[in-house]
């Protein structure tokens, strides 16, 4: 069936939904009310967003920036019990400080990810290389070790109380989108019985980046560790672009082969999503309705919907 094109992510005590250039953050506040903040991002109609693979790189960078921004925005709702009245000068200073913090956090996260998922597996494979003569086998061992680190990392953070709630909101996000894409009215009851797995999820995207990197890195062979690492680093955007194209295809296709290839990502989502409660579902619904006319979408595509 046709897909809606809407996507999102979980944030602190809430959900961010994005549709085109519009995105909304819905957060459950301490008083029980739902706060919805709708924003616009830069246009995605440029030529770079029309070129396969390149558009995946651009979308990945854009999603990364917006994701970090929305996480900080959602966290800011819980910083103070009483709102503080700021002067214009203080507001500008705070915005500048927040932007600097977001940039610093983003850069630190990228460096940390490169160390964990690039450097450590690479040097582990070089250690194994003392006992293995095949460079192909070394590359395979490195890739499997990288995927294992990712799975263990996800499993480990899922045990943290705050992350557990984020994963519950992640489940609410998926269930809201699945409810709409299966032609059901967006109600708490219908969302509750919808699946918390979705083929266009960022979890699946990251897993495909890791899997495709296993294949690509098998063909990168330099004697110099520095050249080896630099080439791998430069190829990450390309791998991300290819992974994006597959996730995009998976969201549209019912091809049996595509369904099979999507299974690992859907399985991993059992770790990154949890069943939400009704209050969380309401937050997800509020986020959807702020940026997406789901009734119009269902009317235009009613002949495509599968029976649930």
């Amino acid at each position: 069936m046709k897909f809606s094109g809407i996507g999102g992510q979980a944030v602190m005590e809430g959900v961010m939904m994005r549709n085109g250039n519009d995105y909304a953050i819905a957060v459950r506040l301490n008083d029980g009310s739902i706060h919805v903040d709708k924003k616009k991002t830069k246009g995605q109609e440029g030529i770079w967003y029309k070129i396969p693979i390149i558009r995946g790189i651009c979308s990945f960078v854009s999603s990364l920036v917006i994701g970090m921004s929305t996480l900080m925005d959602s966290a800011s709702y819980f910083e103070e019990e009483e709102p503080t009245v700021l002067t214009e000068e203080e507001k500008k200073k705070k915005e500048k400080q927040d932007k600097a913090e977001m940039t610093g956090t983003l850069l630190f996260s990228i460096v940390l990810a490169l160390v964990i998922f690039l450097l450590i597996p690479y040097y582990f494979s070089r250690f194994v290389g003392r006992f293995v003569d095949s460079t192909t086998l070394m590359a395979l061992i490195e890739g499997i070790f990288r995927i294992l680190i990712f799975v263990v990392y996800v499993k480990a953070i899922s045990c943290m109380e705050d992350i557990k709630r984020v994963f519950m909101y992640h489940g609410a996000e998926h269930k809201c989108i699945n409810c709409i894409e299966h032609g059901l009215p967006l109600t708490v009851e219908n969302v509750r019985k919808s699946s918390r797995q979705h083929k266009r999820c960022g979890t699946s995207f990251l897993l495909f980046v890791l899997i495709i990197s296993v294949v690509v890195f098998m063909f990168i062979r330099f004697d110099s560790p520095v050249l080896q690492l630099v080439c791998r680093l430069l190829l990450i955007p390309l791998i991300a672009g290819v992974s994006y194209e597959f996730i995009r295809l998976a969201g549209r296709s019912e091809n049996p082969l595509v369904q099979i290839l999507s299974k690992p990502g859907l399985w991993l989502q059992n770790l990154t999503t949890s069943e939400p409660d009704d209050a969380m579902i309401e937050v997800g619904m509020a986020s959807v309705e702020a940026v997406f006319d789901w009734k119009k979408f269902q009317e235009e595509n009613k002949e495509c919907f599968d029976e649930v």
Side-chain angles (χ1 to χ4, degrees):
M1 61 168 288
K2 297 178 182 178
F3 78 109
S4 63
I6 189 173
Q9 70 169 57
V11 295
M12 295 296 294
E13 291 301 324
V15 174
M16 183 276 285
M17 285 288 182
R18 184 177 181 182
N19 180 31
N21 296 329
D22 297 320
Y23 68 97
I25 310 169
V27 175
R28 178 74 71 177
L29 300 180
N30 292 329
D31 62 6
S33 63
I34 298 176
H35 174 82
V36 180
D37 191 9
K38 184 176 177 180
K39 299 183 178 182
K40 275 190 174 292
T41 185
K42 292 182 180 180
Q44 299 187 29
E45 298 82 14
I47 187 173
W48 300 114
Y49 285 92
K50 297 178 182 179
I51 303 174
I53 298 181
I54 298 296
R55 64 189 173 193
I57 299 172
C58 295
S59 295
F60 174 68
V61 173
S62 175
S63 297
L64 194 63
V65 173
I66 291 176
M68 290 299 300
S69 176
T70 54
L71 276 173
M72 292 188 67
D73 286 347
S74 64
S76 69
Y77 299 132
F78 304 96
E79 288 178 353
E80 298 176 345
E81 292 293 331
E82 297 294 331
T84 303
V85 179
L86 302 175
T87 64
E88 286 300 319
E89 185 177 347
E90 289 174 331
K91 286 181 180 179
K92 290 180 180 179
K93 185 177 180 180
K94 187 176 185 304
E95 288 175 1
K96 188 175 180 180
Q97 182 180 350
D98 289 344
K99 188 175 291 187
E101 289 178 356
M102 185 184 74
T103 302
T105 302
L106 182 59
L107 291 175
F108 175 77
S109 300
I110 292 173
V111 171
L112 185 62
L114 290 175
V115 170
I116 295 175
F117 298 110
L118 189 65
L119 289 179
I120 293 178
Y122 174 71
Y123 282 104
F124 175 77
S125 71
R126 286 184 66 85
F127 171 76
V128 173
R130 297 177 182 179
F131 315 100
V132 177
D133 292 331
S134 172
T135 54
T136 300
L137 183 57
M138 283 176 57
L140 183 61
I141 291 173
E142 177 188 348
I144 293 173
F145 185 61
R146 183 179 293 110
I147 294 172
L148 181 62
I149 289 176
F150 180 64
V151 174
V152 171
Y153 168 78
V154 171
K155 180 62 177 177
I157 65 171
S158 68
C159 297
M160 300 168 62
E161 286 302 320
D162 287 344
I163 300 300
K164 283 181 181 178
R165 292 191 62 81
V166 171
F167 284 175
M168 290 173 74
Y169 277 108
H170 190 195
E173 173 220 330
H174 283 189
K175 290 167 83 74
C176 285
I177 296 175
N178 279 321
C179 176
I180 293 170
E181 293 185 341
H182 284 82
L184 297 173
L186 192 63
T187 64
V188 172
E189 181 180 357
N190 287 334
V191 172
R192 192 189 305 121
K193 64 184 181 181
S194 296
S195 173
R196 73 174 199 261
Q197 297 177 330
H198 199 284
K199 288 185 288 186
R200 297 197 311 274
C201 176
T203 302
S204 295
F205 169 79
L206 290 175
L207 183 59
F208 268 101
V209 167
L210 295 176
I211 292 174
I212 293 173
S213 71
V214 175
V215 178
V216 173
F217 290 169
M218 282 184 179
F219 299 94
I220 303 175
R221 298 177 181 177
F222 294 100
D223 293 332
S224 169
V226 175
L227 281 177
Q228 191 90 317
L229 288 170
V230 168
C231 286
R232 295 182 181 205
L233 184 61
L234 294 176
L235 281 170
I236 289 176
L238 176 63
I239 294 171
V242 173
S243 301
Y244 171 84
E245 294 301 326
F246 179 82
I247 294 297
R248 194 168 184 267
L249 173 65
R252 298 173 179 269
S253 175
E254 298 296 332
N255 182 282
L257 179 59
V258 174
Q259 296 294 317
I260 292 172
L261 293 175
S262 298
K263 289 295 183 182
L266 295 176
W267 173 81
L268 191 59
Q269 288 175 42
N270 289 325
L271 297 180
T272 62
T273 65
S274 299
E275 286 296 330
D277 57 33
D278 288 355
M280 292 175 174
I281 290 174
E282 291 172 353
V283 173
M285 291 168 54
S287 183
V288 171
E289 293 182 323
V291 295
F292 189 65
D293 188 346
W294 59 269
K295 292 181 181 178
K296 180 180 178 181
F297 165 77
Q298 290 183 346
E299 182 64 28
E300 292 175 347
N301 296 277
K302 57 184 177 181
E303 74 282 354
C304 301
F305 295 125
D306 300 324
E307 291 185 4
V308 178

